[in-house]
Amino acid sequence: MAAKPPAPAAPDAAPAKPKSKKLLLIILAAVVAVVLVGVAILVALMMFQPAAEELDADGQPVVQLAAPAAPPTFMPLENMVVNLADPGAMRFAQIGISVQLADSATADRLTAFMPAIRNGMLRLASQRTAAELLTPAGKDALAADMLGMIRQTIGLPDQGTTPSPVQAVLFTSLIVQ
């Protein structure tokens, strides 16, 4: 018996075509485009978000303040007892004050004018009523008036554009009776 010859190919069946290079290039271009879009999105997100070390524990950005050149000098003054300007009642206040200064040279200058400064402080405080001194706004107004009086007494100009070496008047104690 003889081996059968292979069957002739059907005339309908087309010979198998090799894979189209065109389709392969289209798929490759689509993959590259998706990767490029992903990288662009990642870069954009990284540029617009603060770095991890710039976030606090709650995820909020940390604001860094410039450190002052030198810490201020605080000059405590002796406590004062002042009669208040309450009509019809005898009221008084005991006030403890510290003055915040830029440097120790200003403290020396303040010491030279201390009798005039204490006099001015006593006069300003004695013009207030107990009700005024018991409110935060009243305390702030008295501190601002005392600060202006100290600057004027030692010959400093008003605040203006240059910072004053006499920076603040701080209450360390305030008792009203």
Side-chain angles (χ1 to χ4, degrees):
M1 296 196 134
K4 291 187 178 181
D12 298 352
K17 289 185 181 178
K19 293 255 181 182
S20 171
K21 289 186 179 182
K22 202 176 212 184
L23 180 63
L24 185 61
L25 287 175
I26 291 173
I27 292 173
L28 185 62
V31 169
V32 169
V34 168
V35 168
L36 287 177
V37 168
V39 169
I41 290 172
L42 181 66
V43 168
L45 288 175
M46 292 177 79
M47 288 178 61
F48 293 115
Q49 280 189 341
E53 64 270 3
E54 295 175 7
L55 297 176
D56 63 7
D58 298 331
Q60 300 296 324
V62 175
V63 177
Q64 295 188 6
L65 303 175
T73 300
F74 294 96
M75 182 177 186
L77 305 180
E78 293 180 32
N79 286 352
M80 320 178 200
V81 177
V82 179
N83 290 323
L84 298 176
D86 282 314
M90 203 57 178
R91 303 207 46 156
F92 64 93
Q94 179 185 5
I95 304 172
I97 296 173
S98 287
V99 181
Q100 181 178 335
L101 308 169
D103 52 29
S104 59
T106 308
D108 294 338
R109 188 170 178 184
L110 225 65
T111 303
F113 288 93
M114 192 52 64
I117 290 171
R118 284 186 56 84
N119 177 58
M121 288 183 165
L122 288 169
R123 294 177 130 231
L124 288 170
S126 67
Q127 296 171 1
R128 303 303 201 271
T129 64
E132 289 174 351
L133 290 180
L134 292 176
T135 65
K139 291 176 184 130
D140 291 343
L142 179 59
D145 289 346
M146 287 180 172
L147 181 62
M149 181 274 307
I150 292 171
R151 288 177 179 162
Q152 182 180 8
T153 302
I154 67 172
L156 293 175
D158 285 337
Q159 194 73 12
T161 57
T162 59
S164 174
V166 181
Q167 299 171 340
V169 170
L170 308 168
F171 294 111
T172 55
S173 69
L174 181 60
I175 301 171
V176 177
Q177 288 186 342

